[in-house]
Amino acid sequence: MNPGAQNTDDTASPLLRSDAERNRARVVTAARRVFGRDGLGASMSSVAREAEVGIATLFRRFPTKGELVDAVFSDRMDAYADAVAVALDDPDPWNGLAGFIETVCAMQAADYGFADVLTMTFPTAKALEKRRNEAYEAMVQLIDRAKTAGRLREDFTPEDLVLIHMANAGVVNATGAAAPDAWRRVVAMLLQSFQAPARGPLPDSPEPRALYKAMLRAGPPCSTSPDPRKKS
């Protein structure tokens, strides 16, 4: 045994574990405010300042930004997946699809951070990405049903939903509080363009692998823990 070694959260006293948990909760709450206000471009330092903890303390709880995003937005990704389930339960596939798109775009408009989350991918955010993938499989079913019902144009693809999220995030971030409902008009125009019969052919949609690379590229840089020799 090394008597000079520091305690980990697993071996620390109940008091220290309680303090660590409080710090974690403060960081998540602060990150939710910062990301919701400034989007995912906000720095880890700004989150630490909002939480009133040292940057080293933040990184002990969340070694990467992706892990912090996972903790902050897991509930919103659950709501996103739930919206797909609600859409699948609608007896009218087109109403289900249109309602899903409107619901998710409203979620983006209400939270700049979540607007960004749906346009990026986070390899270290395991739970968030798992839920996203589950929702994606359900969305494929939703799209197929709407096509079978003859209400959705045949050349619409699942990748188009990602492009909708990207377009809406751009509108939300560009208009902000100056025109907070502008996204509604854009979404309405998009929905009308998706309905069958199509007015004309569309260019090819991006390949899934290319779109994944775009989402990975759009994500925040992989933050790493600061030098442990520096004081927090």
Side-chain angles (χ1 to χ4, degrees), residues 30-50 55 58-59 64-66 68-69 73 111-113 116 120 122 173 218-221 223:
R32 184 169 285 123
R33 288 195 300 266
V34 172
F35 292 153
R37 181 185 67 230
D38 302 331
L40 295 189
S43 68
M44 295 287 269
S45 295
S46 65
V47 173
R49 286 194 299 272
E50 183 81 12
I55 189 67
L58 186 153
F59 276 109
T64 68
K65 196 171 190 178
L68 180 57
V69 167
F73 292 104
D111 187 320
Y112 288 178
D116 290 341
M120 304 174 184
F122 306 88
N173 283 303
S223 302

Side-chain angles (χ1 to χ4, degrees), residues 165-180:
H165 297 332
M166 289 179 169
N168 191 55
V171 171
V172 166
N173 283 303
T175 56

Side-chain angles (χ1 to χ4, degrees), residues 39-228:
L40 295 189
S43 68
M44 295 287 269
S45 295
S46 65
V47 173
R49 286 194 299 272
E50 183 81 12
E52 297 182 345
V53 300
I55 189 67
T57 295
L58 186 153
F59 276 109
R60 278 197 295 273
R61 304 274 72 81
F62 302 100
T64 68
K65 196 171 190 178
E67 289 171 272
L68 180 57
V69 167
D70 201 353
V72 170
F73 292 104
S74 59
D75 59 338
R76 285 162 176 75
M77 191 57 76
D78 285 344
Y80 175 79
D82 289 344
V84 184
V86 169
L88 282 172
D89 285 340
D90 194 312
D92 184 326
W94 170 255
N95 285 341
L97 178 62
F100 166 74
I101 291 172
E102 290 169 348
T103 296
V104 173
C105 287
M107 292 170 65
Q108 287 185 294
D111 187 320
Y112 288 178
F114 192 66
D116 290 341
V117 165
L118 292 184
T119 70
M120 304 174 184
T121 190
F122 306 88
T124 59
K126 303 299 184 184
L128 186 146
E129 291 300 327
K130 180 176 182 292
R131 202 74 169 106
R132 190 207 300 269
N133 291 336
E134 292 170 354
Y136 178 84
E137 296 302 321
M139 284 190 295
V140 171
Q141 296 180 46
L142 186 60
I143 290 169
D144 289 343
R145 290 184 185 182
K147 287 182 179 180
T148 300
R151 301 291 304 281
L152 178 65
R153 56 186 302 153
E154 284 296 324
D155 54 359
F156 188 92
T157 71
E159 288 70 43
D160 290 323
L161 282 175
V162 180
L163 295 178
I164 293 169
H165 297 332
M166 289 179 169
N168 191 55
V171 171
V172 166
N173 283 303
T175 56
D181 291 326
W183 68 271
R184 296 183 185 277
R185 183 175 177 85
V186 174
V187 171
M189 289 189 291
L190 289 173
L191 285 173
Q192 290 181 34
S193 73
F194 300 149
Q195 287 182 290
R199 302 297 190 272
L202 293 173
D204 292 341
S205 64
E207 292 293 328
R209 182 178 295 276
L211 202 54
Y212 175 80
K213 287 181 178 178
M215 294 173 71
L216 194 62
R217 179 175 177 271
C222 181
S223 302
T224 55
S225 302
D227 188 333

Side-chain angles (χ1 to χ4, degrees), residues 16-38:
L16 288 177
R17 286 199 300 271
S18 177
D19 185 59
E21 186 54 37
R22 280 196 299 272
N23 279 339
R24 185 184 190 281
R26 287 174 66 183
V27 168
V28 171
T29 299
R32 184 169 285 123
R33 288 195 300 266
V34 172
F35 292 153
R37 181 185 67 230
D38 302 331

